Amino acid sequence: MTVQTEPATQATALPAVHRGGRATALGLTGTAVVLLAMAALPYLVDTGVTAQLVKLCYLVALASMWNLLTGYAGMMSMGQQAFIGLGAYLLFVVNDHGLSVYTGTLVVSALVALVAWPLSYLAFRLRGGYFAVGTWVIAEVVRLIVVRFDSLGAASGRSLSDVTADPVLRRAYTYWLALAVMAAAVLGTYAVLRSRLGLSLQAIRDDDTAAGSLGVNVTRGKRIIYVTAAAGCAAAGAVICVNSLGVASPTQIFGVQYSALMVFMVVIGGIGTVEGPVVGAVAYFLLDKYFAQSGVWYLVVVGAAAIVVSLYLPRGLWGTLAHRTGFAVFPVRHTVRFRAAS
Amino acid sequence: MSTPLLEVDHLAVSFGELHVLEDVELSVPRGQAVGIVGPNGAGKSTLLSAISGVERASAGAVRLAGRDVTRTSAAERCRLGVGRSFQIPRPFADLTVFENALVGAERGAGLRGAHAREHSLRALETAGLLGLANKPAGSLPLLGRKRLELARALATGPELLLLDEIAGGLTEAEAEELVATVLSLKESGVTILWIEHVVKALVQVVDRLVCLAYGRIRVDGDPHEVLASDEVAEVYLGGTAA
């Protein structure tokens, strides 16, 4: 076949391949600075501000997990609330057994990962829209099982039994916990995407038949992400539980509105980018902060934002910017650099 | 004689009541290049899919170097050395051309780091796509997508290369270059099974030609003899030209 645009390529001299290079170091340094500044906030501002930021942190974590599932592995889940709820409820169990809510969050994510593993065998029997509905059904079943336990408050929710007594300290700890969960979700997503698994996942998302024919173990890749996203959502669920000192009602924590929220944030921010869910979560956080008191107008504004972005910026806010400028805080693309001589 | 690289044994593929392949027998020794011709709907692509593991055999067996792979996944067969191109290209649209090849190098050939990158670049070079390495694969026109199919299959480091209509739509000069490329692959020891309607390109490469029609192999032998056979004339011209 003809060799296009690169005439007389020597058999020995191949171009170099770059992956972000200095931009990678810059992005990670910038992220570290932002995270450190955020970590210092309890010393600088009053607890009202950090209390609001707790919500932003778990929103970012949730959005990142849904993006990992759908934007990178092509699994459209409508049932992540199963793991949010399980995370919150298992925190009662480990807390009752004497673990602090902070280490408890870590333990709970691991436990939920263990639950998600067998559930994936059930969920993976379905595809596309059926998978979405199937995951929702699984979430409902998990809720129905959880409310059968009187020790967990049955159908009426319950409070955490053992939390830090001092309110100022408790709020600071809660905020740091939320911050750590967010950082783990975002940087964890980035680490996955930079790994060999990340490239295979994107291949699976774009065409799983072709991915299989190129040697990608499609089911294994999907399963790893399904379990990871479950663990991440469980950590977010535990944060939600710690933040409100318990669960108000099982229908709320197992509610499908969490899935709707995740779709909204990821679509607004930009699906299939590491930065998109962060931007989407910030956008939702601001909409929520300034319009939540406006009654029905709140839903009008949120709905209008979703419609406008999907019509005019189908790549989302960050996705559009990244596409137009090639800019990335977390670069994952491989770039082949040809020598200047051509 | 040593074990053939590929053995297809009484293979059948059915979709419900539709029997696409019936009782197909094919044995390809290592290093041979075999062409497959036949009318549309004869089951040619399905045969490649059954060999590469994309479609399941309803009966019969597929063996690679003597090993039964009939129940083995496509991914595993790829790692065992089967590389394929799809007739209707299936690019990873949101990945770059280079990254498309890299998937094959990392997963199919099992390479890592610099080795995988170099191997991918060589595959792109062979397929004539190196200059487009940074383009999103979804932006390639049809011809580019077909080349990408070849590049990705090569990136998996195949012992057995399954090609499905990669010459259609090429100009005379491009077809000649493609023939040279496939010939050089053959000389490097790759075993090739090539479906192609551009018979002129095919006969320059293959040692043997198989004619498939209505899900069965009708003729199998020397390319020129097969093309001159009554069966091929009958299959293509409906028996009126005998």
Side-chain angles (χ1 to χ4, degrees):
Chain A
M1 292 192 194
T2 45
V3 175
Q4 293 190 345
T5 62
E6 269 292 294
T9 313
Q10 302 296 309
T12 45
L14 285 170
V17 179
H18 293 260
R19 208 176 186 194
R22 199 182 305 142
T24 307
L26 215 63
L28 286 176
T29 312
T31 308
V33 170
V34 169
L35 287 176
L36 283 174
M38 286 183 80
L41 281 182
Y43 298 106
L44 305 172
V45 297
D46 68 60
T47 48
V49 176
T50 51
Q52 291 197 340
L53 287 178
V54 168
K55 181 168 189 184
L56 177 63
C57 288
Y58 73 69
L59 287 177
V60 169
L62 287 176
S64 294
M65 290 302 108
W66 198 80
N67 180 48
L68 194 59
L69 270 175
T70 310
Y72 283 110
M75 287 179 281
M76 169 97 164
S77 169
M78 279 291 131
Q80 289 312 101
Q81 62 272 19
F83 307 119
I84 299 172
L86 264 185
Y89 271 95
L90 282 174
L91 193 63
F92 292 132
V93 177
V94 298
N95 190 233
D96 290 350
H97 283 80
L99 269 182
S100 86
V101 290
Y102 314 109
T103 44
T105 298
L106 202 63
V107 174
V108 155
S109 323
L111 288 176
V112 169
L114 286 178
V115 174
W117 190 267
L119 280 181
S120 71
Y121 285 86
L122 206 61
F124 286 6
R125 298 184 69 91
L126 303 168
R127 289 179 167 267
Y130 299 98
F131 176 82
V133 174
T135 51
W136 188 355
V137 170
I138 289 173
E140 286 298 301
V141 172
V142 171
R143 177 178 65 84
L144 290 171
I145 292 171
V146 166
V147 297
R148 294 190 69 85
F149 289 92
D150 289 334
S151 64
L152 294 177
S156 50
R158 64 163 274 193
S159 313
L160 281 164
S161 46
D162 178 24
V163 288
T164 313
D166 180 63
V168 177
L169 217 53
R170 188 183 67 230
R171 282 188 185 145
Y173 284 159
T174 305
Y175 170 68
W176 281 323
L177 175 71
L179 189 63
V181 168
M182 174 183 83
V186 175
L187 294 175
T189 303
Y190 185 43
V192 166
L193 292 177
R194 294 277 300 200
S195 74
R196 295 198 318 153
L197 176 63
L199 187 67
S200 298
L201 286 176
Q202 294 172 71
I204 292 170
R205 172 200 61 198
D206 283 356
D207 191 321
D208 58 358
T209 303
S213 291
L214 290 179
V216 177
N217 193 331
V218 175
T219 314
R220 181 172 160 273
K222 282 186 171 179
R223 199 176 320 281
I224 292 172
I225 293 310
Y226 184 81
V227 171
T228 308
C233 286
V239 169
I240 294 171
C241 183
V242 173
N243 192 38
S244 38
L245 301 175
V247 169
S249 87
T251 32
Q252 189 271 328
I253 197 84
F254 281 108
V256 75
Q257 81 276 0
Y258 276 117
S259 284
L261 191 56
M262 286 186 252
V263 177
F264 177 83
M265 291 186 291
V266 173
V267 169
I268 290 278
I271 193 164
T273 61
V274 185
E275 302 88 343
V278 181
V279 173
V282 171
Y284 174 76
F285 176 73
L286 294 175
L287 281 176
D288 187 60
K289 186 167 154 58
Y290 293 107
F291 293 96
Q293 307 310 319
S294 323
V296 73
W297 281 105
Y298 167 62
L299 293 175
V300 172
V301 169
V302 170
I307 292 169
V308 168
V309 170
S310 11
L311 280 181
Y312 297 103
L313 303 168
R315 291 172 194 273
L317 297 172
W318 182 267
T320 305
L321 180 77
H323 185 69
R324 296 222 176 121
T325 62
F327 180 70
V329 179
F330 301 112
V332 292
R333 276 274 157 275
H334 293 80
T335 310
V336 178
R337 293 238 176 99
F338 301 102
R339 277 157 198 76
S342 69
Chain B
M1 207 182 136
S2 63
T3 321
L5 181 63
L6 171 69
E7 286 168 283
V8 176
D9 190 6
H10 295 288
L11 180 76
V13 175
S14 307
F15 302 110
E17 287 302 300
L18 185 66
H19 305 295
V20 182
L21 291 176
E22 286 179 286
D23 205 23
V24 173
E25 290 277 318
L26 186 66
S27 171
V28 183
R30 206 174 278 275
Q32 198 175 57
V34 179
I36 303 177
V37 293
N40 291 330
K44 304 186 294 295
S45 292
T46 306
L47 176 58
L48 289 204
S49 287
I51 294 170
S52 69
V54 172
E55 297 294 351
R56 297 275 146 184
S58 3
V62 176
R63 280 189 291 274
L64 283 174
R67 176 180 168 172
D68 189 334
V69 294
T70 318
R71 301 274 160 255
T72 308
S73 72
E76 184 60 29
R77 291 189 211 188
C78 174
R79 291 192 284 267
L80 288 170
V82 181
R84 81 163 290 180
S85 75
F86 287 93
Q87 181 191 1
I88 297 163
R90 313 183 72 128
F92 305 128
D94 288 341
L95 295 180
T96 67
V97 166
F98 170 75
E99 287 169 330
N100 267 260
L102 191 60
V103 174
E106 286 186 342
R107 296 298 174 176
L111 298 170
R112 283 170 182 272
H115 293 292
R117 293 196 289 271
E118 191 178 313
H119 192 70
S120 309
L121 290 169
R122 294 249 182 256
L124 292 180
E125 191 180 34
T126 305
L129 274 177
L130 195 53
L132 301 174
N134 294 325
K135 288 257 185 261
S139 73
L140 291 179
L142 182 62
L143 206 59
R145 289 174 186 227
K146 290 210 167 207
R147 286 177 184 182
L148 185 57
E149 285 293 327
L150 175 63
R152 287 198 311 197
L154 290 178
T156 67
E159 282 184 74
L160 174 64
L161 183 59
L162 310 174
L163 300 173
D164 198 347
E165 293 192 26
I166 54 170
L170 296 185
T171 65
E172 191 94 346
E174 286 169 335
E176 267 171 38
E177 280 186 64
L178 175 65
V179 164
T181 303
V182 182
L183 269 176
S184 73
L185 291 170
K186 185 187 160 196
E187 273 157 26
S188 70
V190 180
T191 309
I192 294 164
L193 205 54
W194 185 5
I195 297 175
E196 194 54 76
H197 281 305
V198 185
V199 176
K200 194 178 156 195
L202 198 59
V203 293
Q204 290 178 69
V205 176
V206 299
D207 309 301
R208 182 178 148 198
L209 198 60
V210 167
C211 176
L212 199 67
Y214 308 110
R216 288 168 183 276
I217 288 183
R218 302 286 149 165
V219 214
D220 180 349
D222 174 81
H224 297 283
E225 284 173 21
V226 167
L227 286 176
S229 67
D230 293 342
E231 288 94 333
V232 169
E234 187 194 313
V235 159
Y236 273 99
L237 304 170
T240 52

